[in-house]
Amino acid sequence: DLACLTGGAGTGKTTTCRAIVRAWEALGGRVELAALSGKAALRLAEGVGRTGPDHRPALTMQRLLIGLRKRAAGETQWGAELQNGQARPVALQLPELTDQTLLILDEASMIDLGQFHALIEVMPRGCRLLLVGDSFQLPPVGVGLVFHRLVERLRPSIRLDIVRRQAESSGI
């Protein structure tokens, strides 16, 4: 399943994602978070309340793909295993996509066709994907306006269009 959430700066995309994460987990699902850049991944994790050693971090899309390939090869952790039977923090576990997973991918407007194909190839049947972005921001550097075309044609595609971050009278 695939859905798109789009809107300009300050329209509530991150707040909406936080509500979706809470609802999905309350229903027994798992959530993985990713974004095209490290800064956006950190912002997404902070925005949905998923920071610290008890939560898997939001990853860059490249690191997500690397982690999923490592998991497919039988690995479960980033880096060396701890000794003395110590439990590893959840934050050090490799990402995992299952039929109970919702993958939220931020900055989706900058994802090109090759990156999107690589992602779809590693997603198992039943895994849900929510693409989040702003069609009016930077396009991808590579070939293909994947997010832009999906927003135009896909249902469900949700567009947030009321700026809520600041008052209209602020001039910002």
Side-chain angles (χ1 to χ4, degrees):
D1 292 332
L2 172 66
C4 295
L5 174 63
T6 186
T11 58
K13 294 184 301 289
T14 302
T15 300
T16 301
C17 286
R18 182 174 40 241
I20 290 170
V21 165
R22 288 180 181 162
W24 190 260
E25 289 179 338
L27 293 170
R30 302 181 61 261
V31 175
E32 291 284 352
L33 303 170
L36 205 58
S37 73
K39 188 171 185 176
L42 178 60
R43 175 66 190 109
L44 177 61
E46 290 169 346
V48 300
R50 295 291 182 264
T51 57
D54 295 337
H55 297 288
R56 258 197 262 274
L59 303 171
T60 63
M61 186 159 169
Q62 186 62 32
R63 190 154 168 90
L64 172 72
L65 292 171
I66 290 168
L68 291 171
R69 289 182 188 121
K70 284 176 161 268
R71 189 170 280 280
E75 297 179 50
T76 60
Q77 307 287 326
W78 293 108
E81 298 294 329
L82 293 179
Q83 297 182 10
N84 302 330
Q86 291 179 305
R88 293 183 60 90
V90 172
L92 296 179
Q93 295 175 6
L94 291 172
E96 182 177 20
L97 301 181
T98 71
D99 62 354
Q100 299 299 310
T101 304
L102 169 63
L103 172 60
I104 298 177
L105 187 54
D106 201 6
E107 288 189 331
S109 68
M110 293 190 284
I111 296 170
D112 66 33
L113 187 58
Q115 294 166 320
F116 191 72
H117 181 265
L119 178 65
I120 297 301
E121 271 191 325
V122 296
M123 287 182 63
R125 180 174 292 260
C127 181
R128 281 73 166 196
L129 176 61
L130 176 61
L131 299 174
V132 181
D134 181 353
S135 300
F136 296 105
Q137 292 240 329
L138 294 172
V141 173
V143 174
L145 296 172
V146 178
F147 181 73
H148 302 76
R149 297 303 173 251
L150 287 171
V151 167
E152 289 173 2
R153 297 185 175 111
L154 185 68
R155 299 295 178 253
S157 182
I158 299 95
R159 178 175 302 280
L160 303 175
D161 55 9
I162 299 172
V163 177
R164 299 190 183 277
R165 186 177 296 154
Q166 65 269 341
E168 287 184 29
S169 61
S170 72
I172 297 175

